[in-house]
Amino acid sequence: MKKIFFSSLILLIYSTFSWSQSKPDLDKKVSELLSKMTIEEKIGQMTQITVTNFEEKGKPGVFDRVKLKEAIQNYHIGSILNVPNPGAQTTKQWNDVLTTISNEANKTRLKIPVLYGIDAIHGSSYTAGATLFPQQIGIAATFNTAIAKNEAEISAYETRASSIPWVFSPDLDLPRNPSWSRMWESFGEDPYLSSQMGTSFVEGFQGNDVGFKYNVASCMKHFIGYGSTTTGKDRTPSIIPERVLRQYDLTIYQAAIKAGAKSVMISSGEINGTPVHASKYLITDVLKNELGFQGVVVTDWQDIIYLHTRHKVAETNRDAVRISVNAGIDMSMVPDNYSFYNDLLDLVAKGEVPMSRIDDAVSRILKMKFELNLFQNTVANLKDYPKFGSKEFIDAAYNAAAESITLLKNNAVLPLNKADKILVTGPTANSMKNLNGGWSYNWQGENSDFYAADKFTILKALQNKVGKENVLYTKGADLAIEDDLEIQKALDLAKDASKIVLCLGEKNYTETPGDISDLYLSASQIKLALALAKLNKPIILVLNEGRPRLISNFEDKMSAVIQCYLPGNEGARALVDILYGDVNPSGKLPYNYPRYPNSLEKYNRKYTESLGDEEQNNDAKYEKSYSPQFEFGTGLSYTTFGYSNLKMDKTEINNTDTLTVSVDVTNTGKVSGKESVLLYLSDIYASITPEVKALKRFEKISLKPNETKTVTFVLNQKDLQFVNNDLKWISEKGAFKIQISNLTTEFMLK
């Protein structure tokens, strides 16, 4: 894939100018400043407050200068987060906000700048007019790390144009339950895919010099095990053996740390009975000491307080502060009072939190502020950001959506004919908030239709494509409430249409408001689908959802199924271009799409998770144990690809060798297309029960009709290893199988 001009421009500027500082110089600056600080100033640096705490009563978005002065002058706060009411700000408004904060900070004794952080989840999503990309789950579906990096570069550029230097992204959670409300914020169910995408995000955000005016500091989150709740509900307990935690979850963070991530946000959950915010073992022993993380450790929203009020491991808020800071927390997202400041000041005075712990935390915070160049400049010059919201950036978001959208089924009904009259129906067909999801302009994303009013919904994109006269529309169903009159309207209109585009999915949500008790699509939508199916007309099911909602009770009646995920502001245009064949779909599922609510196996399952399937496959008395609706890596195209000549440079290796694997991929169809080549590895026998297969490499290629490309992968020793019961990474002698598409080959580790 060609790099867009923006990336090349940034690299050129990097080679000409660099504000990077050597480590000795940086350490000296931090040490000198730290030596001048009072204990009050130090603890203030560890305090993060939400910006809405400083608003005038009854005047959303207007600073109460007295409150701001109190926070910065009296409590010495080091960080502010969030978006002023009522929602997304223009770059000019952000400039004014950050100027006000900066001016107040410059009145302090040491003039330490305030570090502003924001949830830039799929673009600079709290800035009006910014470029919004597909959510992370869609980026994962591209299997294209260049797209991931480019998104982060553009997001960084537009966030810095908003004068904000710190983003709470990427999300590196590994979801184990598909009902989890933050699944769409992740890169899916595979740790290798997640680590590669996470690394690309970190590199894109931070560039070669995080202090450069087009870069931001990243914050990987949520360390650790947050996506593995046993209930599938947000912020509920996880039970994860440490061996499993290390083999899967920890590797993702390890990759992001290696890429240079400047900060990390701690999980709001608990693992095996210990809230992560209270775990000195996970935060200090593992994250800081074992993995060597040198950046800032920040809490999630109010999570120190929750150690007392929710988790019940601290009898008082003061105890919660003591436990968490001693565990290794550097900054508390309090976020709307000064209890952390007051309690920590008392704890240090009475020797319950050592001064060394305070100095370590503050040093990390000051280091990041120096690295971000905040002591020289905290407010953007808007003239430096001519590409903000530009066509170039919008095209990049469109391309990301086009490569993410995944064709799961096609019974020769797609591409559509532009001359056909179609019925468009379903509750997600005509709303931008369903395309964007949460963290879009505000927390839950409910205002996307206002802020993105100039963008195309699916309905409007279809009308723009083939003309309003060829597109019939009615809502057909509500997301939650059954409406027989609306269904009848859809049935009546369908009589005049040759095909039906049925748009189903979910409301906008994130975190606890997105908790569900039923993984099936809502009854109102299922009723609409079944009613339309009785017409015996081709139905193209378009799924617009953050997690795989079950469709097994009507999927067999659909002629085609397309998974859009949450494709962002340009997603509808990309979808419609795919529907009509102007774009060839190339996305692949980054998770198993389950068929039943009690059959939630991951693609890299253990053999016992599909026990007896081979023997019972032809026996009507038995259901297959492993039978996802669509498996991880599924993704169809309008062309076909043939795989051949799977080769290895050796069939036996020792414990220091690498292994080079190659395969030829040919476009055997009639149109150009993109294909993600996925390499899976299987350890045939191992002392810890092996996975059926595990993704180890991937590469996305473009092929013209009849064109062949040779794709080469190099596997190293770490790819052969697993974590044993002694918590050590080991590989064992024996046979391994490599699978690429329908081809397999084996080698021996001697």
Side-chain angles (χ1 to χ4, degrees), residues 339-355:
S339 58
F340 173 82
Y341 176 93
N342 292 324
D343 285 337
L344 186 53
L345 197 61
D346 184 60
L347 286 162
V348 173
K350 294 177 179 174
E352 295 178 59
V353 173
M355 199 64 210

Side-chain angles (χ1 to χ4, degrees), residues 167-180:
V167 298
F168 304 138
S169 178
D171 189 313
L172 303 182
D173 295 315
L174 185 65
R176 289 181 170 87
N177 191 318
S179 65
W180 189 47

Side-chain angles (χ1 to χ4, degrees), residues 79-90:
S79 182
I80 296 175
L81 82 155
N82 219 340
V83 61
N85 284 316
Q89 310 285 292
T90 65

Side-chain angles (χ1 to χ4, degrees), residues 432-553:
M432 291 306 301
K433 64 185 178 183
N434 300 118
L435 293 172
N436 278 308
W439 300 118
S440 302
Y441 305 110
N442 61 350
W443 179 39
Q444 292 296 308
E446 68 269 21
N447 295 331
S448 289
D449 287 295
F450 170 76
Y451 285 104
D454 60 330
K455 300 296 181 179
F456 283 120
T457 63
I458 295 173
L459 170 63
K460 291 177 181 177
L462 283 164
Q463 291 173 334
N464 183 68
K465 188 73 159 181
V466 297
K468 291 185 178 181
E469 66 277 8
N470 289 321
V471 180
L472 305 171
Y473 169 73
T474 188
K475 188 175 182 181
D478 184 79
L479 282 170
I481 302 170
E482 294 186 35
D483 188 338
D484 290 340
L485 290 177
E486 264 300 324
I487 290 176
Q488 190 58 51
K489 286 181 185 178
L491 295 175
D492 291 341
L493 283 175
K495 295 174 184 177
D496 296 322
S498 60
K499 296 180 179 67
I500 301 168
V501 177
L502 176 59
C503 303
L504 305 182
E506 298 188 290
K507 67 175 184 178
N508 48 286
Y509 63 87
T510 187
E511 300 188 39
T512 306
D515 283 348
I516 55 175
S517 298
D518 186 351
L519 195 53
Y520 279 100
L521 275 178
S522 61
S524 58
Q525 297 184 87
I526 294 171
K527 190 172 184 179
L528 172 63
L530 291 173
L532 290 170
K534 292 178 181 178
L535 299 176
N536 294 317
K537 293 195 175 188
I539 301 177
I540 297 92
L541 173 62
V542 174
L543 294 168
N544 193 189
E545 56 190 12
R547 54 198 157 194
R549 302 299 292 268
L550 303 187
I551 57 174
S552 52
N553 42 10

Side-chain angles (χ1 to χ4, degrees), residues 40 62 189 258 306 401 439 588-589 653 710:
E40 290 83 3
V62 177
E189 71 178 41
K258 185 177 180 181
Y306 289 150
W439 300 118
K588 290 185 182 290
L589 276 181
I653 63 173
T710 299

Side-chain angles (χ1 to χ4, degrees), residues 95-129:
N95 186 289
D96 293 342
V97 167
L98 271 294
T99 296
T100 301
I101 293 170
S102 178
N103 288 343
E104 194 62 53
N106 283 331
K107 297 175 185 176
T108 62
R109 184 176 72 91
L110 296 175
K111 297 180 172 55
I112 300 174
V114 172
L115 175 62
Y116 206 103
I118 202 74
D119 288 290
I121 302 302
H122 62 126
S124 190
S125 47
Y126 278 169
T127 301

